[in-house]
PDB file of all heavy atoms in Angstrom:
ATOM      1  N   GLY A 298      28.259   3.088   3.191  1.00 96.00           N
ATOM      2  CA  GLY A 298      27.019   3.360   3.909  1.00 96.00           C
ATOM      3  C   GLY A 298      26.937   4.799   4.369  1.00 96.00           C
ATOM      4  O   GLY A 298      25.885   5.449   4.258  1.00 96.00           O
ATOM      5  N   LEU A 299      28.048   5.338   4.881  1.00 97.00           N
ATOM      6  CA  LEU A 299      28.081   6.733   5.319  1.00 97.00           C
ATOM      7  C   LEU A 299      27.871   7.673   4.140  1.00 97.00           C
ATOM      8  O   LEU A 299      27.150   8.666   4.248  1.00 97.00           O
ATOM      9  CB  LEU A 299      29.407   7.027   6.011  1.00 97.00           C
ATOM     10  CG  LEU A 299      29.608   6.341   7.368  1.00 97.00           C
ATOM     11  CD1 LEU A 299      31.057   6.479   7.812  1.00 97.00           C
ATOM     12  CD2 LEU A 299      28.673   6.932   8.418  1.00 97.00           C
ATOM     13  N   TYR A 300      28.500   7.349   3.021  1.00 97.00           N
ATOM     14  CA  TYR A 300      28.308   8.179   1.829  1.00 97.00           C
ATOM     15  C   TYR A 300      26.845   8.189   1.394  1.00 97.00           C
ATOM     16  O   TYR A 300      26.255   9.250   1.144  1.00 97.00           O
ATOM     17  CB  TYR A 300      29.186   7.675   0.677  1.00 97.00           C
ATOM     18  CG  TYR A 300      28.746   8.187  -0.669  1.00 97.00           C
ATOM     19  CD1 TYR A 300      28.756   9.554  -0.958  1.00 97.00           C
ATOM     20  CD2 TYR A 300      28.271   7.318  -1.651  1.00 97.00           C
ATOM     21  CE1 TYR A 300      28.325  10.036  -2.193  1.00 97.00           C
ATOM     22  CE2 TYR A 300      27.843   7.779  -2.883  1.00 97.00           C
ATOM     23  CZ  TYR A 300      27.865   9.149  -3.146  1.00 97.00           C
ATOM     24  OH  TYR A 300      27.429   9.617  -4.367  1.00 97.00           O
ATOM     25  N   VAL A 301      26.233   7.010   1.323  1.00 97.00           N
ATOM     26  CA  VAL A 301      24.860   6.909   0.829  1.00 97.00           C
ATOM     27  C   VAL A 301      23.894   7.669   1.738  1.00 97.00           C
ATOM     28  O   VAL A 301      23.043   8.424   1.249  1.00 97.00           O
ATOM     29  CB  VAL A 301      24.430   5.428   0.698  1.00 97.00           C
ATOM     30  CG1 VAL A 301      22.924   5.323   0.454  1.00 97.00           C
ATOM     31  CG2 VAL A 301      25.188   4.759  -0.435  1.00 97.00           C
ATOM     32  N   VAL A 302      23.996   7.504   3.059  1.00 97.00           N
ATOM     33  CA  VAL A 302      23.027   8.148   3.946  1.00 97.00           C
ATOM     34  C   VAL A 302      23.176   9.663   3.920  1.00 97.00           C
ATOM     35  O   VAL A 302      22.175  10.396   3.936  1.00 97.00           O
ATOM     36  CB  VAL A 302      23.138   7.602   5.393  1.00 97.00           C
ATOM     37  CG1 VAL A 302      24.383   8.113   6.100  1.00 97.00           C
ATOM     38  CG2 VAL A 302      21.886   7.957   6.184  1.00 97.00           C
ATOM     39  N   VAL A 303      24.402  10.165   3.847  1.00 97.00           N
ATOM     40  CA  VAL A 303      24.602  11.614   3.779  1.00 97.00           C
ATOM     41  C   VAL A 303      24.097  12.152   2.439  1.00 97.00           C
ATOM     42  O   VAL A 303      23.465  13.216   2.376  1.00 97.00           O
ATOM     43  CB  VAL A 303      26.079  11.976   4.004  1.00 97.00           C
ATOM     44  CG1 VAL A 303      26.347  13.442   3.675  1.00 97.00           C
ATOM     45  CG2 VAL A 303      26.477  11.686   5.455  1.00 97.00           C
ATOM     46  N   PHE A 304      24.363  11.408   1.360  1.00 96.00           N
ATOM     47  CA  PHE A 304      23.860  11.808   0.039  1.00 96.00           C
ATOM     48  C   PHE A 304      22.335  11.904   0.064  1.00 96.00           C
ATOM     49  O   PHE A 304      21.752  12.890  -0.413  1.00 96.00           O
ATOM     50  CB  PHE A 304      24.307  10.807  -1.020  1.00 96.00           C
ATOM     51  CG  PHE A 304      23.724  11.060  -2.387  1.00 96.00           C
ATOM     52  CD1 PHE A 304      24.392  11.852  -3.301  1.00 96.00           C
ATOM     53  CD2 PHE A 304      22.492  10.512  -2.763  1.00 96.00           C
ATOM     54  CE1 PHE A 304      23.854  12.094  -4.566  1.00 96.00           C
ATOM     55  CE2 PHE A 304      21.950  10.755  -4.010  1.00 96.00           C
ATOM     56  CZ  PHE A 304      22.634  11.541  -4.917  1.00 96.00           C
ATOM     57  N   LEU A 305      21.665  10.881   0.617  1.00 96.00           N
ATOM     58  CA  LEU A 305      20.205  10.862   0.633  1.00 96.00           C
ATOM     59  C   LEU A 305      19.634  12.005   1.464  1.00 96.00           C
ATOM     60  O   LEU A 305      18.706  12.704   1.038  1.00 96.00           O
ATOM     61  CB  LEU A 305      19.697   9.529   1.176  1.00 96.00           C
ATOM     62  CG  LEU A 305      19.936   8.287   0.306  1.00 96.00           C
ATOM     63  CD1 LEU A 305      19.458   7.032   1.033  1.00 96.00           C
ATOM     64  CD2 LEU A 305      19.253   8.412  -1.045  1.00 96.00           C
ATOM     65  N   LEU A 306      20.149  12.204   2.659  1.00 96.00           N
ATOM     66  CA  LEU A 306      19.639  13.262   3.534  1.00 96.00           C
ATOM     67  C   LEU A 306      19.865  14.643   2.914  1.00 96.00           C
ATOM     68  O   LEU A 306      19.003  15.519   2.994  1.00 96.00           O
ATOM     69  CB  LEU A 306      20.296  13.173   4.908  1.00 96.00           C
ATOM     70  CG  LEU A 306      19.857  11.967   5.756  1.00 96.00           C
ATOM     71  CD1 LEU A 306      20.754  11.823   6.975  1.00 96.00           C
ATOM     72  CD2 LEU A 306      18.403  12.101   6.186  1.00 96.00           C
ATOM     73  N   ASN A 307      21.010  14.819   2.297  1.00 95.00           N
ATOM     74  CA  ASN A 307      21.298  16.096   1.648  1.00 95.00           C
ATOM     75  C   ASN A 307      20.378  16.319   0.450  1.00 95.00           C
ATOM     76  O   ASN A 307      19.873  17.419   0.233  1.00 95.00           O
ATOM     77  CB  ASN A 307      22.756  16.126   1.199  1.00 95.00           C
ATOM     78  CG  ASN A 307      23.156  17.473   0.600  1.00 95.00           C
ATOM     79  OD1 ASN A 307      22.996  18.514   1.232  1.00 95.00           O
ATOM     80  ND2 ASN A 307      23.661  17.444  -0.618  1.00 95.00           N
ATOM     81  N   ARG A 308      20.119  15.254  -0.309  1.00 94.00           N
ATOM     82  CA  ARG A 308      19.239  15.359  -1.477  1.00 94.00           C
ATOM     83  C   ARG A 308      17.822  15.727  -1.047  1.00 94.00           C
ATOM     84  O   ARG A 308      17.120  16.464  -1.743  1.00 94.00           O
ATOM     85  CB  ARG A 308      19.235  14.028  -2.220  1.00 94.00           C
ATOM     86  CG  ARG A 308      18.515  14.043  -3.583  1.00 94.00           C
ATOM     87  CD  ARG A 308      18.601  12.654  -4.194  1.00 94.00           C
ATOM     88  NE  ARG A 308      18.010  12.577  -5.517  1.00 94.00           N
ATOM     89  CZ  ARG A 308      18.645  12.683  -6.668  1.00 94.00           C
ATOM     90  NH1 ARG A 308      19.953  12.932  -6.656  1.00 94.00           N
ATOM     91  NH2 ARG A 308      18.028  12.550  -7.823  1.00 94.00           N
ATOM     92  N   MET A 309      17.384  15.218   0.116  1.00 93.00           N
ATOM     93  CA  MET A 309      16.032  15.490   0.600  1.00 93.00           C
ATOM     94  C   MET A 309      15.930  16.809   1.352  1.00 93.00           C
ATOM     95  O   MET A 309      14.832  17.265   1.662  1.00 93.00           O
ATOM     96  CB  MET A 309      15.571  14.343   1.502  1.00 93.00           C
ATOM     97  CG  MET A 309      15.391  13.031   0.765  1.00 93.00           C
ATOM     98  SD  MET A 309      14.778  11.708   1.840  1.00 93.00           S
ATOM     99  CE  MET A 309      16.234  11.338   2.813  1.00 93.00           C
TER     100      MET A 309
END
Side-chain angles (χ1 to χ4, degrees):
L299 291 168
Y300 162 62
V301 169
V302 73
V303 169
F304 174 91
L305 292 176
L306 289 169
N307 184 55
R308 188 180 183 96
M309 294 182 287

